[in-house]
Amino acid sequence: MLLAARSTVALHRLLDTVPALSGDDRITRLFTLVPGSDFGVDVLAAVEAVGGRLVPWSEACARSYDLILTASPKGDLRLLRGRHVLLPHGAGYNKSIPGEGSDPDSASGLDPAFLLRADDGTGAAPAPVALHAVAHPDQVARIAAADRRAADRAKVVGDPTLDRLLASRPLRERYRAALGTGARRLLVLVSTWGPESLLRRFPELPARLAARLPQDEYQLALVVHPNEHSLLGTYDLTERLAPALDAGLVLAGPHEEWASVLIAADALVTDHGSTALYYCATEDRPVVGVHQDGAELIPGSPMHTLLDRIPRLGAPDAAPAAVEEALRAYRPGTGREAAGTAFAQQGRALRLLRTELYALLGLTPPARTAPPRLLPEPRPAERVPAAFDVDTAVATGTGTGTGTDGVAARVRVARRPVGLGAPGDHLAAEDGSASEALVRSAGVLYRRPLPAADASSGSAWTADGWMRHALSAYPGCRTAAAVLAPDLFLLRTRPRTRTRASTGAAEASGAYAVQVAPLAEDGRVTRADPAAAVSAVHAWLLGDSPDPDPVSLALAPVRLSCVIGDRAFALALRPATDAEAAAPF
């Protein structure tokens, strides 16, 4: 069997399909690169990565094969001798590529010149492929409109790639844990390839969203078509996306990882690429469009149907309110209905395809039917922001903050990666991770515990020792905090009054300990990033409220509420114990 791939996206489709024949030692699986594509540069590396045996094109054309699998009809495939099987390349026929094929109005992959083969390579009249495997009956009708002979060999078998997503849905929480999503909403941007794609028309959108959407409420990911990965190369692509990547954007890998990220997603922003249909077929979650008028999208196609029915992010506007409004405007069921026009036989693709392929081979299939292979865990963001522009709003609470009669204040906190937008109320930076320039400019400095291997030998700060050092070494620092655990940090503030700070030394108020209570939500436990809670306490302590009385604090902690998005986390502020202050850090 020869797997003939012209591009990495075609190769990835073939790799999703070959489990239909797995476990059979009668079949030898070989690969070849079909020449002529601008997007074939990564195929050889991808074959090597899976450990495939590659046959040079000249050698492939000189031999005969019992079966030739392709996922693109383009290129000099007529030169390959054997039964040709054309497998799904994407979610239906949605785009027309100008200058491609012999018919400028034909959908990509449906030009009559691409649908026929000369089966024996001897110059005989073109004939249909042995099997044209499609995912939906409407696709058979589209093939028939292009060439009746090709439609006679078309069978609806479903989509093996979609079946991998459907089979992997129970791993959603594992994928989100691997990404570090936590309680945030994972918003995924999807960009196809070409001049009408999201990244070509709105290259600034990922960075704009990263600048404006609060870091503690949203996580951003980007799925880029494999053709763009091949055309630009990883280095150039990541340099173009550097501001967004520095802000924590997850750039999904073009093989398998993109599908894991779709399963993990809470919402999608898409152009006219068919990846959105896989998302909609897998889960009924919000999807909004940014595609504007162009020449590529085919009227009446599944993607046209989807984009016509979902909300649009105008301009596109990256303001949080506009994003929220568009996501709220999505009508449940809309995406799934559109996906239903692209995919049939869901969950049965490998089984149906297996029957067809073994019939062409003239072999009895093994008793065991291989299930779709589960998708691997995605990789987390390679860069995590360590400094934030923080906006806070302090509202007086309902009580004194002592005992059980209410909270002293409610503090709303919104953190955005520093440097992408307007400055916030204060700059918060993580010591040991942020740059020296940002550390020196920060009004709030916080530090997390060193990894165990680093803390086990040599000397280390105590928690209170580091806070005193930070206030002394960095005159711009108003608050220093030592994060001891996910639910506990210590904090010192620089005195507010000129009288108390008249010595010019690093004198500070006493060390406080702050407990951050988790939230119980529908049987789940949700935790706030303690660094966000540090900013909440900083805003309250350095605001208009009087300094907490140490004697009162010792009797009853001050209760605060740290509001992040639509969640309110309870904070309890009290004097730090001697043991906490002396904890190695």
Side-chain angles (χ1 to χ4, degrees):
M1 178 177 71
L2 182 67
L3 288 80
R6 190 170 178 265
S7 65
T8 51
V9 66
L11 175 65
H12 297 160
R13 299 294 175 171
L14 295 177
L15 293 174
D16 287 343
T17 300
V18 289
L21 302 174
S22 68
D24 195 334
D25 61 2
R26 297 170 295 176
I27 298 173
T28 300
R29 300 151 188 85
L30 304 174
F31 295 83
T32 194
L33 169 62
V34 181
S37 172
D38 292 337
F39 311 113
V41 63
D42 292 333
V43 172
L44 302 184
V47 171
E48 182 178 358
V50 300
R53 180 184 170 192
L54 190 73
V55 178
W57 177 250
S58 58
E59 181 182 336
C61 293
R63 299 171 57 178
S64 295
Y65 299 89
D66 296 300
L67 206 60
I68 299 169
L69 303 187
T70 64
S72 170
K74 305 166 191 176
D76 291 329
L77 292 167
R78 292 184 181 87
L79 300 179
L80 297 175
R81 289 179 293 179
R83 298 180 185 90
H84 288 237
V85 175
L86 182 58
L87 299 163
H89 177 74
Y93 304 107
N94 299 289
K95 294 168 65 175
S96 176
I97 308 301
E100 179 182 83
S102 61
D103 182 359
D105 297 323
S106 176
S108 179
L110 281 184
D111 191 292
F114 295 143
L115 296 178
L116 304 178
R117 300 282 187 275
D119 285 332
D120 57 8
T122 62
V129 297
L131 172 64
H132 199 132
V134 296
H136 193 277
D138 286 352
Q139 295 166 21
V140 179
R142 297 289 302 278
I143 295 170
D147 191 287
R148 182 68 256 176
R149 293 170 293 173
D152 291 340
R153 302 285 182 92
K155 297 286 184 67
V156 179
V157 300
D159 188 299
T161 298
L162 174 63
D163 284 5
R164 291 193 71 187
L165 275 88
L166 296 174
S168 301
R169 283 186 297 182
L171 278 67
R172 171 177 163 82
E173 290 194 13
R174 175 174 292 185
Y175 297 155
R176 290 174 65 84
L179 290 168
T181 305
R184 296 178 292 176
R185 298 181 72 180
L186 176 56
L187 180 64
V188 178
L189 311 181
V190 175
S191 179
T192 188
W193 66 279
E196 296 181 16
S197 66
L198 182 151
L199 280 185
R200 296 296 184 92
R201 286 194 164 180
F202 310 112
E204 75 289 346
L205 183 59
R208 286 175 58 195
L209 285 169
R212 298 185 183 185
L213 295 178
Q215 182 81 11
D216 297 296
E217 299 173 47
Y218 284 93
Q219 183 182 35
L220 291 177
L222 175 64
V223 171
V224 180
H225 195 283
N227 284 357
E228 286 293 293
H229 281 271
S230 295
L231 187 64
L232 297 175
T234 301
Y235 179 79
D236 189 29
L237 180 60
T238 55
E239 285 300 303
R240 293 178 183 221
L241 295 169
L245 292 172
D246 290 342
L249 175 78
V250 174
L251 179 60
H255 180 216
E256 299 180 317
E257 196 172 61
W258 67 270
S260 303
V261 169
L262 289 193
I263 293 173
D266 294 297
L268 206 74
V269 176
T270 184
D271 55 16
H272 61 308
S274 63
T275 297
L277 292 168
Y278 287 95
Y279 172 77
C280 293
T282 304
E283 297 288 352
D284 187 18
R285 294 190 171 92
V287 55
V288 299
V290 294
H291 179 68
Q292 297 180 347
D293 295 337
E296 294 182 354
L297 186 62
I298 295 175
S301 66
M303 269 309 298
H304 180 269
T305 300
L306 176 66
L307 291 171
D308 191 50
R309 298 179 181 178
I310 61 176
R312 178 174 293 184
L313 192 61
D317 189 344
V323 174
E324 289 281 1
E325 182 180 359
L327 295 178
R328 284 195 300 268
Y330 173 79
R331 301 192 312 276
T334 301
R336 182 158 287 174
E337 290 173 6
T341 68
F343 303 113
Q345 302 289 4
Q346 295 185 18
R348 303 179 63 200
L350 286 185
R351 187 163 67 252
L352 294 173
L353 190 58
R354 183 172 183 266
T355 299
E356 297 294 340
L357 295 181
Y358 273 104
L360 290 174
L361 289 170
L363 296 175
T364 301
R368 175 184 178 272
T369 301
R373 291 174 182 165
L374 299 180
L375 296 163
E377 292 182 3
R379 294 165 299 169
E382 293 186 2
R383 311 172 198 175
V384 178
F388 300 91
D389 284 314
V390 187
D391 289 309
T392 58
V394 181
T396 302
T398 57
T400 64
T402 59
T404 60
D405 57 348
V407 298
R410 290 179 172 82
V411 187
R412 181 170 292 278
V413 177
R415 300 190 300 165
R416 296 168 286 106
V418 70
L420 291 179
D425 296 337
H426 64 266
L427 170 62
E430 181 174 353
D431 182 61
S433 295
S435 70
E436 177 70 9
L438 290 173
V439 167
R440 289 196 173 278
S441 301
V444 171
L445 275 181
Y446 59 94
R447 180 168 170 154
R448 303 182 194 271
L450 292 173
D454 296 333
S456 61
S457 61
S459 64
W461 290 106
T462 64
D464 196 39
W466 176 80
M467 292 190 297
R468 290 178 179 274
H469 162 74
L471 291 170
S472 175
Y474 300 106
C477 177
R478 302 291 305 278
T479 295
V483 178
L484 300 182
D487 60 352
L488 174 67
F489 62 87
L490 305 190
L491 175 144
R492 276 186 175 274
T493 60
R494 193 178 298 279
R496 287 184 290 180
T497 64
R498 187 175 298 273
T499 300
R500 289 171 62 186
S502 59
T503 63
E507 181 188 354
S509 58
Y512 300 113
V514 181
Q515 299 281 160
V516 186
L519 283 179
E521 299 178 313
D522 299 325
R524 295 174 179 268
V525 175
T526 301
R527 295 185 181 276
D529 184 345
V534 169
S535 283
V537 178
H538 165 84
W540 178 70
L541 285 174
L542 298 184
D544 295 331
S545 60
D547 289 336
D549 176 57
V551 176
S552 299
L553 273 184
L555 297 174
V558 168
R559 297 174 57 223
L560 302 172
S561 180
C562 175
V563 182
I564 300 173
D566 57 0
R567 292 182 172 95
F569 295 89
L571 310 182
L573 183 145
R574 57 173 173 77
T577 66
D578 291 342
E580 289 168 338
F585 185 67

